[in-house]
Amino acid sequence: SYYDNAALNYAGRVLEKDPNNFEALTYKALIQLSQHHFAEALKTGELARNLFPNSAFVYGILVDANVELGNYPAAVENSDKMVSIRPDIRSYSRVAYLREIHGDFPGAIEAMKLAVDAGVPGQESTEWCRIQLARLYELTGDLRTAEMHYSISLEERPQYAYALAGLGRVEAGKISLFVFA
């Protein structure tokens, strides 16, 4: 909490001098999100959006805050805006999560594939998305495809804990299918 408070203090100091400072506003909102102060993050994000309406990054903050507050229609609206401004790994992964929340697993898989394809293989953000894609396959019962994606992630990022955990769940799932079949 010391570092969060110090970072908020510095962002506040910058905003006192320059209330329109993009970096200070977005850092403040990110810290608020990390502290689970979602309503405050939403307010800060809305201020940033009013000042910088063409920043996909700002819409990502708004998506995250609205999801955590249960404002799903606003989250979807902001996600649509985000992906229209910058269709990339960050926007596609948010689209996928929103589709998953709404029970659209085929749509979530489609969007997460786009996120993985938009990323750089081996980078943590890409492999995190690949793990999420594998998890979606796992949740829909396609253990073979889930296992493939977990394995690809391990090839790209050896010893990646999330991939190892996923492979463990797949193996456990195979055993339970065998035992109960």
Side-chain angles (χ1 to χ4, degrees), residues 13-50:
R13 282 200 217 162
V14 171
L15 291 170
E16 284 174 10
K17 293 177 184 177
D18 179 8
N20 299 337
N21 186 287
F22 177 79
E23 288 82 9
L25 283 169
T26 55
Y27 288 147
K28 181 179 179 180
L30 290 174
I31 294 164
Q32 290 167 328
L33 285 171
S34 74
Q35 293 179 329
H36 294 198
H37 297 171
F38 303 121
E40 291 87 349
L42 182 60
K43 288 179 188 174
T44 305
E46 287 172 344
L47 177 61
R49 180 199 53 215
N50 292 339

Side-chain angles (χ1 to χ4, degrees), residues 9 56 72 82 86 96 108 120-121 124 148 155 159 178:
N9 183 31
Y72 299 123
M82 182 183 187
R86 187 174 180 122
V120 176
E124 202 281 331
M148 177 189 74
E155 288 175 20
Q159 301 303 313
F178 177 74

Side-chain angles (χ1 to χ4, degrees), residues 40-63:
E40 291 87 349
L42 182 60
K43 288 179 188 174
T44 305
E46 287 172 344
L47 177 61
R49 180 199 53 215
N50 292 339
L51 294 168
F52 305 98
N54 295 315
S55 169
F57 190 81
V58 169
Y59 287 96
I61 290 167
L62 295 173
V63 171

Side-chain angles (χ1 to χ4, degrees), residues 28-174:
K28 181 179 179 180
L30 290 174
I31 294 164
Q32 290 167 328
L33 285 171
S34 74
Q35 293 179 329
H36 294 198
H37 297 171
F38 303 121
E40 291 87 349
L42 182 60
K43 288 179 188 174
T44 305
E46 287 172 344
L47 177 61
R49 180 199 53 215
N50 292 339
L51 294 168
F52 305 98
N54 295 315
S55 169
F57 190 81
V58 169
Y59 287 96
I61 290 167
L62 295 173
V63 171
D64 296 348
N66 278 300
V67 164
E68 295 299 337
L69 292 168
N71 301 330
Y72 299 123
V76 169
E77 182 181 321
N78 285 297
S79 176
D80 288 346
K81 184 68 174 173
M82 182 183 187
V83 79
S84 73
I85 293 170
R86 187 174 180 122
D88 66 1
I89 189 169
R90 293 176 289 192
S91 57
Y92 289 135
S93 63
R94 284 177 171 91
V95 169
Y97 185 57
L98 286 164
R99 288 179 179 177
E100 181 184 355
I101 287 171
H102 285 90
D104 177 10
F105 285 92
I109 288 170
E110 176 187 339
M112 198 57 81
K113 283 180 182 178
L114 291 171
V116 170
D117 290 344
V120 176
Q123 282 190 348
E124 202 281 331
S125 57
T126 305
E127 298 316 315
W128 181 88
C129 285
R130 192 183 317 275
I131 295 306
Q132 300 311 308
L133 175 60
R135 183 75 174 140
L136 288 166
Y137 280 116
E138 195 179 331
L139 291 170
T140 59
D142 187 349
L143 297 181
R144 177 171 288 173
T145 305
E147 181 178 26
M148 177 189 74
H149 284 286
Y150 288 131
S151 297
I152 291 170
S153 186
L154 275 178
E155 288 175 20
E156 295 293 340
R157 201 165 180 88
Q159 301 303 313
Y160 192 45
Y162 299 113
L164 292 168
L167 284 174
R169 282 193 311 274
V170 167
E171 287 304 311
K174 287 179 184 178

